Amino acid sequence: MRVAVTGASGFIGGAVATALTDDGHEVTGFGRRLHGWSHPGAIYQTWDLVDGNCRVDELMVDAVVHCAALADDWAPRSDALCVNRDGTARVRKRFAHARIVHISTSSVYDAFAPSIQLREDTPIPSRFLSTYSESKALAERELDGANAVILRPHAVYGPGDTTLLPRILAAVRNDRLLLPAGGAVQHSLTHINNLIAAVRCALSPASPRGIFNIADAEPVLLSDIVTEFLQRRGVNARIISIPAGVAAAVATAAEASAKLRKTRPRLTRYAVSQLGVERTFDTAAARDQLGFAPIATTLEGAENW
């Protein structure tokens, strides 16, 4: 199959592009950075979705895996919309006759309430805690009526992760790690290999269109995973629990101060909402309709991530 992968210079896009090339597909990876991704059996081209300039009109593909995104919960709204919503519209226009596998996010669900085994038919909220969530929800709308499969993973991690687990390491101070509710909440994490497996399923011509939650086989206790990760990385840190409400108040103050100083807050309400309450998602639709068979949450090899 001829496949284009956007965001190939990033964590998820690079992993997807490499896996599909290894599978024997004819892959063209796209990214903003020169030499952002390489594979001896594939092609890489630069494409900045912000300006849309790229000679992809001449490229005929059977499918495009759209991984490119601005995954920043503190990004200016105009930037987030330009990359995530408008970038998705550009991808649809450029590859009008191809199947689109769109990597969305569970962050489109309501961040103001716990997520307890949410299904895909859960209504999308009208208010959001971050420009990232809002812009990704609007990106999904850009694919209405398209030959598209939308995948909603939660907290993607694994080899090459540049966001989730590195932020945990960076948050350790004086051998302590402050976590809302002490991390004593259930989470549906998504190993990068499970997301790749879901992409493979979605690329099958027999797969139905639609929206699918993607996650590891079973939810896990966040504190257990954090503790294991720190141990594997040789970090001796104790988790300190702070009430989620207190953490949210601190984040609110930090955001207000950051806006005045035009800086970035060390803590956001979005981050608290993602860590302080349950975030679990029902993957039955992906299992039943796509044939998705996820592995269990694993930190094997995390010593070298």
Side-chain angles (χ1 to χ4, degrees):
M1 180 179 288
R2 298 166 299 178
V3 184
V5 179
T6 69
S9 57
F11 164 45
I12 292 175
V16 168
T18 296
L20 295 181
T21 304
D22 289 343
D23 289 345
H25 295 292
E26 297 179 24
V27 174
T28 300
F30 293 96
R32 290 186 299 110
R33 295 184 284 111
L34 287 172
H35 314 297
W37 173 77
S38 65
H39 190 291
I43 298 171
Y44 177 78
Q45 295 185 31
T46 56
W47 183 13
D48 188 343
L49 291 181
V50 173
D51 59 35
N53 292 327
C54 179
R55 294 177 56 196
V56 297
D57 303 83
E58 305 167 5
L59 179 66
M60 298 296 296
V61 299
D62 303 302
V64 53
V65 185
H66 181 36
C67 305
L70 178 56
D72 182 354
D73 61 296
W74 195 247
R77 186 173 185 270
S78 58
D79 291 351
L81 291 177
C82 184
V83 176
N84 296 336
R85 181 196 63 188
D86 302 343
T88 299
R90 291 188 181 101
V91 167
R92 179 178 182 177
K93 181 178 180 180
R94 292 281 185 167
F95 300 103
H97 302 293
R99 161 160 285 207
I100 299 175
V101 178
H102 176 59
I103 307 302
S104 187
T105 172
S106 64
S107 293
V108 300
Y109 295 116
D110 188 1
F112 293 91
S115 306
I116 303 176
Q117 287 298 310
L118 288 190
R119 297 183 358 166
E120 294 86 349
D121 57 3
T122 302
I124 299 302
S126 58
R127 59 176 185 159
F128 299 89
L129 263 180
S130 74
T131 57
Y132 171 65
S133 302
E134 179 188 12
S135 60
K136 290 294 282 186
L138 292 174
E140 290 189 3
R141 291 188 191 175
E142 293 295 330
L143 297 174
D144 286 350
N147 178 14
V149 179
I150 296 172
L151 305 180
R152 290 177 178 167
H154 175 68
V156 183
Y157 70 99
D161 175 15
T162 59
T163 303
L164 179 63
L165 297 180
R167 283 186 177 180
I168 292 175
L169 287 176
V172 174
R173 294 285 188 278
N174 299 320
D175 297 329
R176 299 191 308 168
L177 175 63
L178 301 180
L179 279 182
V185 290
Q186 294 286 319
H187 271 254
S188 296
L189 305 181
T190 308
H191 193 284
I192 185 63
N193 287 347
N194 276 329
L195 183 52
I196 291 170
V199 168
R200 289 184 174 119
C201 293
L203 285 174
S204 170
S207 294
R209 306 177 186 181
I211 300 173
F212 301 94
N213 292 330
I214 302 299
D216 295 347
E218 298 292 341
V220 294
L221 198 64
L222 183 62
S223 58
D224 288 347
I225 290 300
V226 170
T227 298
E228 181 183 349
F229 175 67
L230 293 176
Q231 290 174 345
R232 284 180 175 269
R233 295 302 295 263
V235 177
N236 183 23
R238 183 165 58 98
I239 293 178
I240 305 298
S241 178
I242 57 175
V246 173
V250 171
T252 300
E255 289 183 2
S257 176
K259 288 179 180 178
L260 288 174
R261 300 186 180 195
K262 296 183 179 180
T263 59
R264 187 182 188 89
R266 290 185 59 182
L267 183 66
T268 64
R269 290 174 298 154
Y270 170 82
V272 172
S273 77
Q274 293 302 300
L275 296 173
V277 297
E278 179 172 336
R279 297 293 174 198
T280 59
F281 304 92
D282 188 336
T283 60
R287 296 172 191 246
D288 296 342
Q289 299 178 40
L290 295 181
F292 175 56
I295 62 172
T297 297
T298 176
L299 292 176
E300 183 178 354
E303 297 85 350
N304 302 312
W305 292 355

